[in-house]
Amino acid sequence: MQTFNDDGTTLETAARPMRIQRAALHDKIVERLHDLITEGDLKPGERINERELADRLAVSRTPLREALRVLAAEKLVTISPNYGTFVTRMTRQEIHDTFELMSALERFSGELACLRITAGELTAIREAHEAMLGHWQRHDLPAYYHANQRIHDLINRAARNDALRQIYLSLNRRLHPLRLSSNRSEAKWRRAVEEHREMMAALETRDGSALGALMERHLLEKRDAVLADWTDD
Amino acid sequence: MQTFNDDGTTLETAARPMRIQRAALHDKIVERLHDLITEGDLKPGERINERELADRLAVSRTPLREALRVLAAEKLVTISPNYGTFVTRMTRQEIHDTFELMSALERFSGELACLRITAGELTAIREAHEAMLGHWQRHDLPAYYHANQRIHDLINRAARNDALRQIYLSLNRRLHPLRLSSNRSEAKWRRAVEEHREMMAALETRDGSALGALMERHLLEKRDAVLADWTDD
DNA sequence: AATTGGTTTTTTGCATTCATTACACAATAT
DNA sequence: ATATTGTGTAATGAATGCAAAAAACCAATT
């Protein structure tokens, strides 16, 4: 994961001679399109007109096309040669498979986190957990989602595996537009909260297999909830 | 993974109206560079001169640059803006993390495969296993590697999760150049073969947790073997 | 001899231009 | 009326051209 400073520069970590580098235009476009897609400004299935989008972003088609190729590699857009580029619209099967894969990554994150988490990281997760409980009691769904996302993200960070983190973030971007179609019923929400309590207990005792199993099940239930609400295609 | 027909066309599966499409030039370049990198024609750390490579491939810089962005998204090359593109040279930590992640994917492949494998698929794996044993007895290391790779690939296919398969193939490409630095000792080779026997037994009885655990351990041992032979940086 | 300063050359980044493909719509034939 | 063919238009694909950045080279100086 590249970490950008606020002046738009980034510290190269992989190359041998450490180099300061300005973010290239096409990289900025990738970031911008990431946002446009995950925020829903570009909706799944929507056609992307290169000229039009290039004008909107005030760039030429060349760097835009380079950015679209990157997004296609991440499966956020789908390119049909000589036909057009579309915001990826996942099929039911793809949603199933992606959540299922995510469940394995979550399990693995939980297992590694129990091995490698620091006291400070655990404190942060505990606080996020408490905050999430508060949002739940206040029935503040958006805040709940945010805290929930933060907990999973912190656990993933605590796993201290950058390759895992990359894939995790990438899949999260793909699934982000779908996240809303869950926890619609009070009962399921309550159940999700209870599962999180168990996850915290497992994390406190560094019980990796327990936490892993819980996080896997948590995701598979989310998968089923999302697919249950899925009418299209 | 896209399956190409022999005339270079591909059947679009995701888009709503089924469309025949010729592979675009930049996609062909991606495939070509995949090969050049995994076959070692382009070595880790090597600089990629756009003009020179474009001339070598008899294309212009535009589609080549698009291809390089895709490869960068897959981490096969590393791009430093205004500086240059290099074949990615993984650090020790990156190798560690990637193998570790791979071990989780292998475990998951094994678990799912036990749930979903067909009789025909099992037969194919059994045959590949027998072939591998033969190569081992004949001390034919290249053929052994090939059969070994084929077994893991078939198990991954049998898991019937396309998202898992994509990531698996991508990580495999990244790790491919490192594969040689293992099984140098007769004892370790013998041990790897024994592990494969256990994996076959678990697969025959559809014991997912056993197969998953075996495949995870198998990969973690491979990780340690590769890192043990790793001198650089 | 090493280092600094400046000029030349190379390479990357991006915009523009041209070519090719596909789609839309109309005209014609069956 | 429907199917089919043909033409115009708009989109994508790729090559070229130009500007900016960086590296290489060389000379001058300490």
Side-chain angles (χ1 to χ4, degrees), chain B residues 168-232:
Chain B
Y168 172 80
L169 291 174
S170 173
L171 291 187
N172 240 355
R173 274 193 291 270
R174 281 196 239 171
L175 296 176
H176 195 260
L178 305 169
R179 79 194 185 289
L180 292 176
S181 54
S182 171
N183 280 354
R184 303 290 287 264
S185 85
E186 195 72 21
K188 282 187 181 167
W189 194 358
R190 184 182 193 84
R191 173 162 173 71
V193 169
E194 182 51 40
E195 286 176 348
H196 265 272
R197 281 214 179 86
E198 296 174 34
M199 285 165 44
M200 275 311 299
L203 191 55
E204 299 275 3
T205 59
R206 310 292 202 281
D207 187 342
S209 11
L211 180 58
L214 283 166
M215 293 181 76
E216 177 181 37
R217 189 156 55 86
H218 195 67
L219 249 288
L220 291 179
E221 280 168 10
K222 178 130 189 152
R223 173 195 69 182
D224 296 337
V226 167
L227 286 179
D229 287 3
W230 193 255
T231 58
D232 212 302

Side-chain angles (χ1 to χ4, degrees), chain A residues 24-26 51 58-63 66 82-83:
Chain A
L25 183 54
H26 61 261
R51 176 97 50 194
V59 298
S60 77
R61 282 177 57 218
T62 306
E66 291 177 359
N82 286 317
Y83 179 58

Side-chain angles (χ1 to χ4, degrees), chain B residues 113-155:
Chain B
C114 283
L115 293 175
R116 297 170 183 171
I117 195 168
T118 66
E121 288 171 331
L122 182 54
T123 300
I125 294 175
R126 207 181 286 126
E127 287 169 358
H129 179 70
E130 294 299 329
M132 192 189 77
L133 292 181
H135 301 316
W136 172 58
Q137 284 166 339
R138 268 174 260 110
H139 285 69
D140 185 346
L141 195 55
Y144 172 85
Y145 271 131
H146 188 262
N148 180 59
Q149 178 68 37
R150 176 169 164 74
I151 290 170
H152 287 269
D153 187 70
L154 287 172
I155 293 176

Side-chain angles (χ1 to χ4, degrees), chain B residues 154-172:
Chain B
L154 287 172
I155 293 176
N156 182 268
R157 282 178 193 269
R160 283 193 170 57
N161 182 314
D162 201 58
L164 168 63
R165 177 148 186 78
Q166 307 272 339
I167 304 294
Y168 172 80
L169 291 174
S170 173
L171 291 187
N172 240 355

Side-chain angles (χ1 to χ4, degrees), chain B residues 63-82:
Chain B
L64 172 60
R65 280 173 60 88
E66 291 177 359
L68 288 176
R69 295 305 181 279
V70 173
L71 294 171
E74 300 177 12
K75 305 225 173 290
L76 283 178
V77 303
T78 303
I79 299 177
S80 291
N82 285 319

Side-chain angles (χ1 to χ4, degrees), chain B residues 52-139:
Chain B
E52 181 188 339
L53 186 55
D55 290 347
R56 182 137 78 97
L57 301 179
V59 298
S60 76
R61 282 177 56 217
T62 306
L64 172 60
R65 280 173 60 88
E66 291 177 359
L68 288 176
R69 295 305 181 279
V70 173
L71 294 171
E74 300 177 12
K75 305 225 173 290
L76 283 178
V77 303
T78 303
I79 299 177
S80 291
N82 285 319
Y83 180 57
T85 300
F86 302 82
V87 179
T88 296
R89 180 180 196 146
M90 297 177 85
T91 65
R92 191 177 181 82
Q93 183 66 43
E94 286 167 341
I95 294 170
H96 177 277
D97 287 358
T98 306
F99 269 107
E100 194 170 74
L101 172 59
M102 196 60 160
S103 78
L105 298 187
E106 286 276 68
R107 172 170 65 168
F108 195 50
S109 294
E111 290 172 351
L112 289 185
C114 283
L115 293 175
R116 297 170 183 171
I117 195 168
T118 66
E121 288 171 331
L122 182 54
T123 300
I125 294 175
R126 207 181 286 126
E127 287 169 358
H129 179 70
E130 294 299 329
M132 192 189 77
L133 292 181
H135 301 316
W136 172 58
Q137 284 166 339
R138 268 174 260 110
H139 285 69

Side-chain angles (χ1 to χ4, degrees), chain A residues 69-82:
Chain A
R69 294 305 182 279
V70 173
L71 294 171
E74 300 177 12
K75 304 228 175 288
L76 284 179
V77 302
T78 303
I79 299 177
S80 291
N82 286 317

